[in-house]
Amino acid sequence: MKQMELLYEGKSKQIFKTDNPDNVVVRFKDDITAFYDIKRANILNKGRLTCDISSMVLGYLNDNGINTHFIERVDDDGQLCRVVEHVPVEVIVRNVVAGSMAKRLDMEEGIVPENTIFDLCLRRSDLGDPLINDHHAVALGLLSYEELSELYEMSAKINSLVTELYNKAGITVVDFKIEFGRATDGSLVLADELSPDTCRLWDKATGERMDKDRFRRDLGSVGETYEEVAKRLHNALK
Ligand code: TMP
Ligand code: ASP
């Protein structure tokens, strides 16, 4: 595999063409941003750590029957991934009330609802990725009702698997955000990272936050905490 020119650069990742038109290299950056770029920093080794964590989680999902874009980790901060047609929605899966849900509905963080909550958002950062529902998604021509039910079914399976894995690491998966793509045969594929940048992870023993909220809320030790998540996941997968 040969890495070729840069195709796209986002806030925390770069995507490069390769000599195989079906594959790209995704590179994880040390940059960290929040609140739509209002808050920015650079965390030493964050790219390596989020690549490490995301590679472990996506490899584990692949091994457990979830179709993902992830093929293999190629080096410290790079992953070889399948090219997919991106679906411009975000699915947020919530096991515990926190973040924007707590704020929007005036609920306390930490409440555990009986059911899993699935939010659907339109991926339009200029609009603040607004919350939409299934009917909006169909009306906007983004997905069919059949695809939406597959999307939620996959999200629920991903949630069960990721929760089980993090349980072994002594960590509660509070919530996470995922995005999907369509493979060449039209099937839906998980096409995103799953790392402390895109999940809320709480230490089961201490309740300590082990995710990007450390950065959003100025709690400090961002890199050290990501390192601890990586270490615990490596042990959980042994
Ligand atoms: P929220 O509480 O801000 O709605 O976020 C819920 C979860 O989704 C949290 O783990 C952070 C993650 N997330 C992203 O990774 N990217 C996003 O653009 C948003 C809105 C949330
Ligand atoms: N959508 C938010 C942003 O782009 C996500 C976050 O705060 O992590 O900043």
Side-chain angles (χ1 to χ4, degrees), residues 11 33-37 129 197 212 216:
K11 286 178 285 188
T33 70
F35 313 120
Y36 298 94
D37 243 1
D129 298 334
D197 269 3
K212 195 164 131 182
R216 292 190 193 96

Side-chain angles (χ1 to χ4, degrees), residues 46-195:
K46 194 196 66 117
R48 171 177 64 76
L49 290 165
T50 48
C51 182
D52 185 24
I53 294 166
S54 199
S55 300
M56 277 190 270
V57 175
L58 268 75
Y60 158 86
L61 291 174
N62 279 341
D63 292 345
N64 283 281
I66 303 288
N67 278 326
T68 84
H69 71 158
F70 174 74
I71 301 170
E72 62 181 0
R73 187 176 182 187
V74 286
D75 51 31
D76 264 9
D77 62 2
Q79 291 181 341
L80 188 67
C81 293
R82 278 197 276 162
V83 172
V84 294
E85 182 208 340
H86 195 77
V87 181
V89 299
E90 298 184 340
V91 178
I92 295 174
V93 182
R94 300 179 189 274
N95 298 306
V96 181
V97 174
S100 72
M101 179 177 173
K103 205 167 178 183
R104 201 160 51 86
L105 302 179
D106 188 25
M107 291 172 80
E108 223 163 279
E109 288 199 311
I111 294 172
V112 182
E114 297 256 317
N115 55 310
T116 308
I117 294 159
F118 300 89
D119 286 347
L120 192 66
C121 299
L122 178 64
R123 201 167 186 280
R124 275 283 301 267
S125 51
D126 57 327
L127 301 177
D129 298 334
L131 199 56
I132 57 170
N133 65 27
D134 290 10
H135 309 290
H136 294 118
V138 174
L140 291 170
L142 306 177
L143 293 142
S144 65
Y145 284 108
E146 292 74 25
E147 284 179 318
L148 281 161
S149 63
E150 198 191 330
L151 193 85
Y152 292 121
E153 201 180 304
M154 277 178 82
S155 301
K157 274 191 200 150
I158 292 165
N159 186 36
S160 303
L161 286 164
V162 170
T163 296
E164 196 182 314
L165 174 64
Y166 272 105
N167 265 338
K168 291 188 198 145
I171 293 171
T172 301
V173 178
V174 170
D175 59 31
F176 60 88
K177 182 272 301 176
I178 43 177
E179 296 177 36
F180 292 84
R182 284 190 191 88
T184 35
D185 65 357
S187 61
L188 287 172
V189 172
L190 172 64
D192 205 352
E193 70 182 293
L194 264 158
S195 83

